[in-house]
Amino acid sequence: MIYKDHEVVIHHCIDVNVPGYLILSPIRHVTAYQDLTQTEIMTIAIILQKVVGILQQISEVEKVYILNLAEETSHFHFHVFPRYSWMIDTLNAELFSDGKLDGAKLFSYYRRENKVDNLQDLSSLDQTIAFIRKRLK
């Protein structure tokens, strides 16, 4: 866990080795955005703004994607996914649609390609997690 208050929790995605790939969820169980309270919405918005700003301070982060897909779990959450310069492989057709970089495809590709089976494989993320945690205090 990186951050927790009365409304939200942030943790690093535990099965994908992409530094700074975060999951932001409300504490209260809800299944859809429209089920959030005004307070939860405001807290999420403020924390998202802070977290995106922090991620953009990391070397080589060019952009930060914020997604809600809700295909694998019924608890509402946002994926906060940093796009690093090393991710742009112009020779990889899987990342492009109509000759343009496709953020959704990039997200899916790197989630699949950087999946880990063992949490020990994530030990290299400790420095990034500490960087984010320190700036969120």
Side-chain angles (χ1 to χ4, degrees):
M1 182 171 28
I2 293 174
Y3 175 86
K4 183 178 180 182
D5 65 19
H6 296 328
E7 304 297 331
V8 300
V9 62
I10 300 172
H11 62 85
H12 203 282
C13 184
I14 61 171
D15 63 348
V16 178
N17 190 1
V18 172
Y21 173 17
L22 308 176
I23 305 295
L24 185 147
S25 308
I27 298 290
R28 187 174 65 91
H29 178 68
V30 298
T31 59
Y33 183 81
Q34 64 270 21
D35 297 332
L36 295 168
T37 66
Q38 291 282 345
T39 302
E40 289 166 334
I41 291 170
M42 293 302 296
T43 303
I44 288 170
I46 291 166
I47 295 297
L48 273 174
Q49 183 182 40
K50 287 180 184 178
V51 139
V52 168
I54 291 166
L55 290 172
Q56 288 177 327
Q57 294 173 28
I58 296 173
S59 178
E60 296 189 35
V61 170
E62 296 180 338
K63 184 176 256 190
V64 178
Y65 299 138
I66 302 168
L67 306 94
N68 168 252
L69 304 167
E71 299 296 340
E72 293 182 22
T73 180
S74 64
H75 185 79
F76 177 82
H77 61 282
F78 282 112
H79 298 261
V80 183
F81 190 85
R83 187 189 82 195
Y84 289 85
S85 56
W86 56 263
M87 292 176 165
I88 310 301
D89 179 356
T90 56
L91 301 178
N92 186 345
E94 280 191 70
L95 303 179
F96 293 83
S97 294
D98 299 323
K100 295 179 184 172
L101 182 64
D102 185 319
K105 286 183 176 184
L106 182 139
F107 171 75
S108 294
Y109 177 83
Y110 282 103
R111 272 179 45 102
R112 181 179 67 248
E113 293 299 311
N114 291 54
K115 195 110 171 134
V116 296
D117 296 323
N118 181 339
L119 292 182
Q120 299 299 331
D121 295 340
L122 294 175
S123 61
S124 64
L125 303 178
D126 289 343
Q127 187 176 7
T128 302
I129 291 169
F131 178 84
I132 296 166
R133 190 178 282 140
K134 180 179 177 183
R135 281 153 182 79
L136 272 175
K137 288 189 178 188

PDB file of all heavy atoms in Angstrom, residues 5 7 10 17 26-27 34 37 41 44 47 50 52 56 59 61 78 86 104 114 119 122 132 134:
ATOM      1  N   ASP A   5      -6.452   6.933   3.108  1.00  0.00           N
ATOM      2  CA  ASP A   5      -7.134   7.864   4.001  1.00  0.00           C
ATOM      3  C   ASP A   5      -8.532   7.310   4.253  1.00  0.00           C
ATOM      4  O   ASP A   5      -8.767   6.121   4.047  1.00  0.00           O
ATOM      5  CB  ASP A   5      -7.121   9.302   3.442  1.00  0.00           C
ATOM      6  CG  ASP A   5      -7.902   9.466   2.147  1.00  0.00           C
ATOM      7  OD1 ASP A   5      -8.759   8.615   1.821  1.00  0.00           O
ATOM      8  OD2 ASP A   5      -7.656  10.463   1.451  1.00  0.00           O
ATOM      9  N   GLU A   7     -11.216   7.790   2.576  1.00  0.00           N
ATOM     10  CA  GLU A   7     -11.999   7.611   1.352  1.00  0.00           C
ATOM     11  C   GLU A   7     -11.366   6.699   0.313  1.00  0.00           C
ATOM     12  O   GLU A   7     -12.070   5.998  -0.411  1.00  0.00           O
ATOM     13  CB  GLU A   7     -12.268   8.977   0.690  1.00  0.00           C
ATOM     14  CG  GLU A   7     -12.962   9.995   1.574  1.00  0.00           C
ATOM     15  CD  GLU A   7     -14.360   9.582   1.999  1.00  0.00           C
ATOM     16  OE1 GLU A   7     -15.016   8.852   1.248  1.00  0.00           O
ATOM     17  OE2 GLU A   7     -14.787   9.995   3.090  1.00  0.00           O
ATOM     18  N   ILE A  10      -4.408   3.648  -2.349  1.00  0.00           N
ATOM     19  CA  ILE A  10      -3.584   3.498  -3.543  1.00  0.00           C
ATOM     20  C   ILE A  10      -2.562   2.413  -3.262  1.00  0.00           C
ATOM     21  O   ILE A  10      -1.901   2.420  -2.221  1.00  0.00           O
ATOM     22  CB  ILE A  10      -2.838   4.807  -3.890  1.00  0.00           C
ATOM     23  CG1 ILE A  10      -3.812   5.940  -4.149  1.00  0.00           C
ATOM     24  CG2 ILE A  10      -1.919   4.591  -5.101  1.00  0.00           C
ATOM     25  CD1 ILE A  10      -3.137   7.300  -4.304  1.00  0.00           C
ATOM     26  N   ASN A  17       5.053  -5.614 -13.598  1.00  0.00           N
ATOM     27  CA  ASN A  17       6.313  -4.941 -13.308  1.00  0.00           C
ATOM     28  C   ASN A  17       6.490  -3.707 -14.208  1.00  0.00           C
ATOM     29  O   ASN A  17       7.276  -3.713 -15.146  1.00  0.00           O
ATOM     30  CB  ASN A  17       7.476  -5.909 -13.479  1.00  0.00           C
ATOM     31  CG  ASN A  17       8.772  -5.355 -12.957  1.00  0.00           C
ATOM     32  OD1 ASN A  17       8.822  -4.241 -12.437  1.00  0.00           O
ATOM     33  ND2 ASN A  17       9.839  -6.114 -13.090  1.00  0.00           N
ATOM     34  N   PRO A  26     -11.778   3.441  -4.093  1.00  0.00           N
ATOM     35  CA  PRO A  26     -12.433   3.925  -2.883  1.00  0.00           C
ATOM     36  C   PRO A  26     -12.355   2.839  -1.812  1.00  0.00           C
ATOM     37  O   PRO A  26     -12.278   1.651  -2.133  1.00  0.00           O
ATOM     38  CB  PRO A  26     -13.887   4.154  -3.329  1.00  0.00           C
ATOM     39  CG  PRO A  26     -14.075   3.248  -4.494  1.00  0.00           C
ATOM     40  CD  PRO A  26     -12.726   3.134  -5.157  1.00  0.00           C
ATOM     41  N   ILE A  27     -12.348   3.248  -0.551  1.00  0.00           N
ATOM     42  CA  ILE A  27     -12.350   2.285   0.547  1.00  0.00           C
ATOM     43  C   ILE A  27     -13.675   1.520   0.556  1.00  0.00           C
ATOM     44  O   ILE A  27     -13.698   0.301   0.665  1.00  0.00           O
ATOM     45  CB  ILE A  27     -12.155   3.000   1.911  1.00  0.00           C
ATOM     46  CG1 ILE A  27     -10.806   3.720   1.955  1.00  0.00           C
ATOM     47  CG2 ILE A  27     -12.333   2.036   3.073  1.00  0.00           C
ATOM     48  CD1 ILE A  27      -9.604   2.826   2.019  1.00  0.00           C
ATOM     49  N   GLN A  34     -20.860   5.906 -10.789  1.00  0.00           N
ATOM     50  CA  GLN A  34     -22.061   6.623 -10.350  1.00  0.00           C
ATOM     51  C   GLN A  34     -22.496   6.261  -8.925  1.00  0.00           C
ATOM     52  O   GLN A  34     -23.302   6.962  -8.332  1.00  0.00           O
ATOM     53  CB  GLN A  34     -23.226   6.418 -11.334  1.00  0.00           C
ATOM     54  CG  GLN A  34     -23.720   5.006 -11.452  1.00  0.00           C
ATOM     55  CD  GLN A  34     -23.017   4.208 -12.526  1.00  0.00           C
ATOM     56  OE1 GLN A  34     -21.916   4.554 -12.947  1.00  0.00           O
ATOM     57  NE2 GLN A  34     -23.630   3.123 -12.971  1.00  0.00           N
ATOM     58  N   THR A  37     -19.888   8.593  -3.662  1.00  0.00           N
ATOM     59  CA  THR A  37     -20.447   9.796  -3.034  1.00  0.00           C
ATOM     60  C   THR A  37     -19.701  11.019  -3.568  1.00  0.00           C
ATOM     61  O   THR A  37     -18.620  10.894  -4.148  1.00  0.00           O
ATOM     62  CB  THR A  37     -20.281   9.754  -1.504  1.00  0.00           C
ATOM     63  OG1 THR A  37     -18.877   9.807  -1.195  1.00  0.00           O
ATOM     64  CG2 THR A  37     -20.919   8.503  -0.891  1.00  0.00           C
ATOM     65  N   ILE A  41     -15.772  11.204  -4.804  1.00  0.00           N
ATOM     66  CA  ILE A  41     -15.410  11.753  -6.116  1.00  0.00           C
ATOM     67  C   ILE A  41     -14.382  12.867  -5.970  1.00  0.00           C
ATOM     68  O   ILE A  41     -13.377  12.901  -6.690  1.00  0.00           O
ATOM     69  CB  ILE A  41     -16.662  12.247  -6.879  1.00  0.00           C
ATOM     70  CG1 ILE A  41     -17.517  11.051  -7.297  1.00  0.00           C
ATOM     71  CG2 ILE A  41     -16.273  13.089  -8.090  1.00  0.00           C
ATOM     72  CD1 ILE A  41     -18.884  11.423  -7.841  1.00  0.00           C
ATOM     73  N   ILE A  44     -10.994  11.392  -4.787  1.00  0.00           N
ATOM     74  CA  ILE A  44     -10.350  10.693  -5.896  1.00  0.00           C
ATOM     75  C   ILE A  44      -9.744  11.700  -6.875  1.00  0.00           C
ATOM     76  O   ILE A  44      -8.602  11.539  -7.315  1.00  0.00           O
ATOM     77  CB  ILE A  44     -11.339   9.737  -6.587  1.00  0.00           C
ATOM     78  CG1 ILE A  44     -11.606   8.528  -5.683  1.00  0.00           C
ATOM     79  CG2 ILE A  44     -10.821   9.304  -7.961  1.00  0.00           C
ATOM     80  CD1 ILE A  44     -12.753   7.639  -6.141  1.00  0.00           C
ATOM     81  N   ILE A  47      -6.584  13.320  -5.303  1.00  0.00           N
ATOM     82  CA  ILE A  47      -5.482  12.357  -5.214  1.00  0.00           C
ATOM     83  C   ILE A  47      -4.961  12.004  -6.607  1.00  0.00           C
ATOM     84  O   ILE A  47      -3.752  11.896  -6.821  1.00  0.00           O
ATOM     85  CB  ILE A  47      -5.915  11.085  -4.445  1.00  0.00           C
ATOM     86  CG1 ILE A  47      -6.229  11.429  -2.987  1.00  0.00           C
ATOM     87  CG2 ILE A  47      -4.862   9.996  -4.545  1.00  0.00           C
ATOM     88  CD1 ILE A  47      -5.071  11.955  -2.189  1.00  0.00           C
ATOM     89  N   LYS A  50      -2.672  14.741  -7.766  1.00  0.00           N
ATOM     90  CA  LYS A  50      -1.374  14.675  -7.078  1.00  0.00           C
ATOM     91  C   LYS A  50      -0.524  13.535  -7.614  1.00  0.00           C
ATOM     92  O   LYS A  50       0.665  13.709  -7.895  1.00  0.00           O
ATOM     93  CB  LYS A  50      -1.574  14.492  -5.567  1.00  0.00           C
ATOM     94  CG  LYS A  50      -2.060  15.725  -4.859  1.00  0.00           C
ATOM     95  CD  LYS A  50      -2.226  15.451  -3.381  1.00  0.00           C
ATOM     96  CE  LYS A  50      -2.821  16.659  -2.676  1.00  0.00           C
ATOM     97  NZ  LYS A  50      -3.039  16.397  -1.245  1.00  0.00           N
ATOM     98  N   VAL A  52      -0.661  11.869 -10.478  1.00  0.00           N
ATOM     99  CA  VAL A  52      -0.214  12.082 -11.858  1.00  0.00           C
ATOM    100  C   VAL A  52       0.971  13.055 -11.874  1.00  0.00           C
ATOM    101  O   VAL A  52       1.969  12.821 -12.561  1.00  0.00           O
ATOM    102  CB  VAL A  52      -1.368  12.562 -12.763  1.00  0.00           C
ATOM    103  CG1 VAL A  52      -0.860  13.064 -14.101  1.00  0.00           C
ATOM    104  CG2 VAL A  52      -2.391  11.445 -12.953  1.00  0.00           C
ATOM    105  N   GLN A  56       4.792  12.123 -13.153  1.00  0.00           N
ATOM    106  CA  GLN A  56       5.431  12.874 -14.228  1.00  0.00           C
ATOM    107  C   GLN A  56       6.797  13.431 -13.820  1.00  0.00           C
ATOM    108  O   GLN A  56       7.556  13.867 -14.682  1.00  0.00           O
ATOM    109  CB  GLN A  56       4.501  13.974 -14.733  1.00  0.00           C
ATOM    110  CG  GLN A  56       3.343  13.384 -15.517  1.00  0.00           C
ATOM    111  CD  GLN A  56       2.342  14.412 -15.984  1.00  0.00           C
ATOM    112  OE1 GLN A  56       2.093  15.407 -15.330  1.00  0.00           O
ATOM    113  NE2 GLN A  56       1.756  14.147 -17.141  1.00  0.00           N
ATOM    114  N   SER A  59      11.829  10.177 -14.195  1.00  0.00           N
ATOM    115  CA  SER A  59      12.562  10.221 -15.458  1.00  0.00           C
ATOM    116  C   SER A  59      11.945   9.264 -16.469  1.00  0.00           C
ATOM    117  O   SER A  59      11.605   8.133 -16.139  1.00  0.00           O
ATOM    118  CB  SER A  59      14.022   9.853 -15.197  1.00  0.00           C
ATOM    119  OG  SER A  59      14.741   9.840 -16.395  1.00  0.00           O
ATOM    120  N   VAL A  61       9.048   9.255 -17.833  1.00  0.00           N
ATOM    121  CA  VAL A  61       7.588   9.196 -17.917  1.00  0.00           C
ATOM    122  C   VAL A  61       7.137  10.342 -18.814  1.00  0.00           C
ATOM    123  O   VAL A  61       7.384  11.505 -18.530  1.00  0.00           O
ATOM    124  CB  VAL A  61       6.910   9.282 -16.528  1.00  0.00           C
ATOM    125  CG1 VAL A  61       5.400   9.467 -16.668  1.00  0.00           C
ATOM    126  CG2 VAL A  61       7.210   8.037 -15.711  1.00  0.00           C
ATOM    127  N   PHE A  78      -9.465   2.858 -10.400  1.00  0.00           N
ATOM    128  CA  PHE A  78      -8.766   3.447 -11.534  1.00  0.00           C
ATOM    129  C   PHE A  78      -7.387   2.802 -11.655  1.00  0.00           C
ATOM    130  O   PHE A  78      -6.710   2.577 -10.655  1.00  0.00           O
ATOM    131  CB  PHE A  78      -8.553   4.960 -11.350  1.00  0.00           C
ATOM    132  CG  PHE A  78      -9.768   5.791 -11.622  1.00  0.00           C
ATOM    133  CD1 PHE A  78     -10.401   6.460 -10.586  1.00  0.00           C
ATOM    134  CD2 PHE A  78     -10.274   5.932 -12.913  1.00  0.00           C
ATOM    135  CE1 PHE A  78     -11.510   7.248 -10.829  1.00  0.00           C
ATOM    136  CE2 PHE A  78     -11.383   6.709 -13.171  1.00  0.00           C
ATOM    137  CZ  PHE A  78     -12.010   7.373 -12.129  1.00  0.00           C
ATOM    138  N   TRP A  86      10.626   4.372 -23.008  1.00  0.00           N
ATOM    139  CA  TRP A  86      11.075   3.056 -23.464  1.00  0.00           C
ATOM    140  C   TRP A  86       9.934   2.180 -23.960  1.00  0.00           C
ATOM    141  O   TRP A  86      10.163   1.160 -24.613  1.00  0.00           O
ATOM    142  CB  TRP A  86      11.875   2.320 -22.390  1.00  0.00           C
ATOM    143  CG  TRP A  86      11.200   2.132 -21.065  1.00  0.00           C
ATOM    144  CD1 TRP A  86      11.353   2.927 -19.956  1.00  0.00           C
ATOM    145  CD2 TRP A  86      10.298   1.093 -20.677  1.00  0.00           C
ATOM    146  NE1 TRP A  86      10.593   2.440 -18.913  1.00  0.00           N
ATOM    147  CE2 TRP A  86       9.939   1.320 -19.331  1.00  0.00           C
ATOM    148  CE3 TRP A  86       9.751  -0.005 -21.333  1.00  0.00           C
ATOM    149  CZ2 TRP A  86       9.056   0.494 -18.633  1.00  0.00           C
ATOM    150  CZ3 TRP A  86       8.866  -0.836 -20.640  1.00  0.00           C
ATOM    151  CH2 TRP A  86       8.538  -0.583 -19.305  1.00  0.00           C
ATOM    152  N   ALA A 104      -4.656   2.525 -25.437  1.00  0.00           N
ATOM    153  CA  ALA A 104      -5.313   1.328 -24.901  1.00  0.00           C
ATOM    154  C   ALA A 104      -4.525   0.071 -25.269  1.00  0.00           C
ATOM    155  O   ALA A 104      -4.353  -0.834 -24.443  1.00  0.00           O
ATOM    156  CB  ALA A 104      -6.747   1.240 -25.406  1.00  0.00           C
ATOM    157  N   ASN A 114       4.595  -7.556 -19.070  1.00  0.00           N
ATOM    158  CA  ASN A 114       5.318  -7.321 -17.817  1.00  0.00           C
ATOM    159  C   ASN A 114       4.637  -8.005 -16.628  1.00  0.00           C
ATOM    160  O   ASN A 114       4.915  -7.674 -15.476  1.00  0.00           O
ATOM    161  CB  ASN A 114       5.459  -5.826 -17.557  1.00  0.00           C
ATOM    162  CG  ASN A 114       6.405  -5.179 -18.544  1.00  0.00           C
ATOM    163  OD1 ASN A 114       6.235  -5.309 -19.748  1.00  0.00           O
ATOM    164  ND2 ASN A 114       7.393  -4.475 -18.060  1.00  0.00           N
ATOM    165  N   LEU A 119       5.818 -12.331  -6.482  1.00  0.00           N
ATOM    166  CA  LEU A 119       5.950 -10.971  -5.951  1.00  0.00           C
ATOM    167  C   LEU A 119       7.403 -10.573  -5.729  1.00  0.00           C
ATOM    168  O   LEU A 119       7.717  -9.391  -5.688  1.00  0.00           O
ATOM    169  CB  LEU A 119       5.148 -10.818  -4.659  1.00  0.00           C
ATOM    170  CG  LEU A 119       3.630 -10.879  -4.816  1.00  0.00           C
ATOM    171  CD1 LEU A 119       2.951 -10.663  -3.479  1.00  0.00           C
ATOM    172  CD2 LEU A 119       3.135  -9.873  -5.830  1.00  0.00           C
ATOM    173  N   LEU A 122       8.941  -8.137  -8.106  1.00  0.00           N
ATOM    174  CA  LEU A 122       8.590  -6.724  -8.004  1.00  0.00           C
ATOM    175  C   LEU A 122       9.510  -5.948  -7.066  1.00  0.00           C
ATOM    176  O   LEU A 122       9.296  -4.768  -6.833  1.00  0.00           O
ATOM    177  CB  LEU A 122       7.139  -6.573  -7.536  1.00  0.00           C
ATOM    178  CG  LEU A 122       6.080  -7.071  -8.514  1.00  0.00           C
ATOM    179  CD1 LEU A 122       4.701  -6.983  -7.876  1.00  0.00           C
ATOM    180  CD2 LEU A 122       6.112  -6.279  -9.806  1.00  0.00           C
ATOM    181  N   ILE A 132       7.015   7.803  -4.604  1.00  0.00           N
ATOM    182  CA  ILE A 132       5.603   8.221  -4.642  1.00  0.00           C
ATOM    183  C   ILE A 132       5.075   8.426  -3.225  1.00  0.00           C
ATOM    184  O   ILE A 132       4.439   9.445  -2.936  1.00  0.00           O
ATOM    185  CB  ILE A 132       4.754   7.173  -5.385  1.00  0.00           C
ATOM    186  CG1 ILE A 132       5.195   7.071  -6.850  1.00  0.00           C
ATOM    187  CG2 ILE A 132       3.266   7.503  -5.286  1.00  0.00           C
ATOM    188  CD1 ILE A 132       4.671   5.844  -7.577  1.00  0.00           C
ATOM    189  N   LYS A 134       6.612   9.134  -0.427  1.00  0.00           N
ATOM    190  CA  LYS A 134       7.192  10.313   0.219  1.00  0.00           C
ATOM    191  C   LYS A 134       6.494  11.607  -0.243  1.00  0.00           C
ATOM    192  O   LYS A 134       6.223  12.498   0.555  1.00  0.00           O
ATOM    193  CB  LYS A 134       8.683  10.399  -0.104  1.00  0.00           C
ATOM    194  CG  LYS A 134       9.388  11.567   0.515  1.00  0.00           C
ATOM    195  CD  LYS A 134      10.862  11.552   0.164  1.00  0.00           C
ATOM    196  CE  LYS A 134      11.561  12.776   0.736  1.00  0.00           C
ATOM    197  NZ  LYS A 134      12.977  12.808   0.344  1.00  0.00           N
TER     198      LYS A 134
END
